[in-house]
Amino acid sequence: MTDAFIYDAVRSPRGKGRADGALHELTSVALSARVLNAVKERNGLKGHAVEDVIWGNVTQVGEQGGCLARSAVLASDLDERIPGLAINRFCASGMEAVNLAANQVRGGAGQAYIAGGVEMMGRVAMGSDGAAIAVDPTLAMKTYFVPQGISADIIATEYGFTRDQADALAVESQRRAAQAWAEGRFAKSVLTIRDQNGLPILASDEYMRPGTDMQTLGALRPAFKEMGEVMPGFDRVALMKYPHLERINHIHHAGNSSGIVDGAAAVLIGNAEFGKAHGLKPRARIRATAKIGTDPTIMLTGPVPATQKILKDSGLQIGDIDLFEVNEAFASVVLRFQQAFDIDPALVNVNGGAIAMGHPLGATGAIIIGTLLDELERQDKDLGLATLCIASGMGAATIIERV
């Protein structure tokens, strides 16, 4: 197998996913094009330099519909001979794009790819595509479907996590993100997004609330308690699947769950020959990739079996990994990961995560790979693992190794 190297990783800042968010004026295609242009310019790419652009996005309707990847290529300054592939593995779409590109390179199907993703959650609402698992009653009944927030609360109930534990993780995420920005840890990878006149729109993550503390979060009402207990009563569905639980403990709210934001990210992946041809030095090797299906009701436990699988496939142990990025979709997802592997929390999401900075669905997987690479370099560490939970019960993971 040919080694697949990461040569560059860039992302937009994450804007608030609502009408008054800084990035709201941009379409998914426009933001994607800006990120693709940055990859081209930063690395001096000319002509048909990469085999393909593989681009993840989750809600593939309206302006995010069609083959968004090809539209983004045509809207960018990339050569029109470069095709585009739009993919959807829900929250892991950006990671799956990177993994797919890496495995194409490893298998000899082209020397280089640009991979990543986008989601403009303030313009194209999550769930507006009418996913069958949520709207088709025959499938929903078969899978004991509940919304993701209920799933997060099921994890908390099943594995014994309290509201205070979830809130403490959220406060720490905010603190770490604020520190990372203050110390310039994201400077290498985050682009200043400009409008068509070249004026800056956004230069840093907009969603953060660095003053968050336990008292602030303690005042928030559980976000999923009513839909669980009253209408339409999803707790009853969950308890049919997990009858050993007496009740669902609703601990999640807006402050300890991931933020709704807009954003895009890209990773430049190629073999050694590509680097030599373009005068580029590889930053990391993609050591292994993994994806797996899991229980669709509890839904969000995928990072644990995905990590078990990728460690087995790569011949590594959990203790071999220096740093971890575990997407903070909900606090209980990260708490469960740390519990399952008995990991020091100081090694997980060193610079904060999606609770503090937001989760632009199709882009997050690529974002956390880039964040992990930057942090490995900052700390002079070697091996990092990134993983995400995924809607409908899946998990994905990537291991990178500095070179």
Side-chain angles (χ1 to χ4, degrees):
M1 296 286 285
T2 301
D3 280 332
F5 296 104
I6 296 177
Y7 286 95
D8 199 8
V10 299
R11 71 169 176 92
S12 74
R14 286 169 272 200
K16 294 177 182 178
R18 58 194 196 199
D20 62 349
L23 298 179
H24 187 72
E25 66 186 75
L26 297 176
T27 65
S28 302
V29 170
L31 185 61
S32 298
R34 283 163 170 76
V35 174
L36 293 175
N37 285 343
V39 175
K40 178 179 185 293
E41 293 162 9
R42 285 161 58 116
N43 298 282
L45 304 182
K46 295 179 175 60
H48 197 170
V50 299
E51 187 75 19
D52 202 355
V53 170
I54 305 178
W55 213 239
N57 68 291
V58 174
T59 310
Q60 298 186 346
V61 295
E63 63 189 48
Q64 286 191 170
C67 183
L68 192 154
R70 177 58 176 165
S71 297
V73 170
L74 295 175
S76 76
D77 297 331
L78 291 177
D79 194 299
E80 67 179 12
R81 291 172 295 173
I82 298 172
L85 171 65
I87 66 166
N88 183 358
R89 198 187 290 279
F90 295 128
C91 298
S93 296
M95 175 176 285
E96 187 61 30
V98 172
N99 290 353
L100 179 57
N103 289 328
Q104 295 273 68
V105 170
R106 294 168 78 187
Q111 288 196 342
Y113 290 73
I114 299 173
V118 67
E119 206 79 27
M120 299 300 288
M121 300 180 73
R123 296 178 64 96
V124 183
M126 180 172 54
S128 58
D129 53 347
I133 195 166
V135 302
D136 183 337
T138 59
L139 181 58
M141 291 173 65
K142 178 183 178 182
T143 58
Y144 294 87
F145 169 80
V146 298
Q148 288 188 27
I150 302 293
S151 298
D153 287 338
I154 296 172
I155 294 173
T157 307
E158 176 73 14
Y159 295 102
F161 304 126
T162 66
R163 167 79 178 253
D164 280 352
Q165 286 177 293
D167 286 357
L169 186 145
V171 169
E172 181 64 7
S173 181
Q174 295 283 353
R175 187 196 69 78
R176 292 182 183 187
Q179 180 180 7
W181 272 106
E183 295 180 359
R185 297 184 191 178
F186 299 129
K188 183 186 295 185
S189 301
V190 176
L191 314 170
T192 295
I193 301 300
R194 302 178 183 275
D195 65 15
Q196 60 185 3
N197 298 314
L199 298 175
I201 300 173
L202 187 63
S204 61
D205 291 321
E206 185 182 27
Y207 183 80
M208 295 190 303
R209 293 156 291 183
T212 300
D213 56 25
M214 292 294 287
Q215 290 70 34
T216 304
L217 297 185
L220 299 178
R221 297 175 58 188
F224 310 104
K225 182 178 177 67
E226 185 172 348
M227 74 167 63
E229 296 179 354
V230 185
M231 287 296 294
F234 283 109
D235 284 8
R236 285 177 288 175
V237 177
L239 293 174
M240 290 173 63
K241 183 72 172 286
Y242 311 111
H244 62 284
L245 301 177
E246 292 185 10
R247 53 187 284 278
I248 306 301
N249 183 21
H250 293 287
I251 70 166
H252 288 93
H253 49 75
N256 59 27
S257 306
S258 56
I260 294 174
V261 296
D262 303 326
V267 180
L268 177 61
I269 299 161
N271 60 18
E273 289 72 20
F274 168 79
K276 292 175 183 176
H278 292 83
L280 300 174
K281 181 180 178 180
R283 295 172 62 189
R285 175 188 297 107
I286 295 184
R287 178 80 174 260
T289 68
K291 61 269 187 182
I292 198 165
T294 64
D295 179 344
T297 307
I298 202 168
M299 194 185 309
L300 307 174
T301 55
V304 173
T307 296
Q308 291 168 336
K309 183 177 190 299
I310 201 170
L311 291 173
K312 180 180 179 181
D313 291 349
S314 61
L316 295 169
Q317 303 293 323
I318 197 71
D320 297 325
I321 307 299
D322 296 307
L323 295 171
F324 301 85
E325 284 288 322
V326 183
N327 185 40
E328 293 175 352
F330 299 90
S332 64
V333 175
V334 183
L335 290 170
R336 173 56 189 149
F337 184 86
Q338 292 173 173
Q339 178 192 65
F341 296 105
D342 193 23
I343 295 172
D344 181 353
L347 303 179
V348 181
N349 301 343
V350 171
N351 296 306
I355 289 174
M357 293 174 285
H359 176 20
L361 305 177
T364 300
I367 288 174
I368 65 174
I369 289 173
T371 299
L372 181 62
L373 175 56
D374 285 346
E375 188 61 22
L376 286 171
E377 291 175 340
R378 189 183 76 85
Q379 294 195 28
D380 194 24
K381 301 291 187 181
D382 295 319
L383 282 171
L385 184 150
T387 184
L388 302 94
C389 60
I390 309 173
S392 300
M394 293 183 283
T398 307
I399 292 175
I400 63 174
E401 179 181 20
R402 283 184 59 212
V403 295

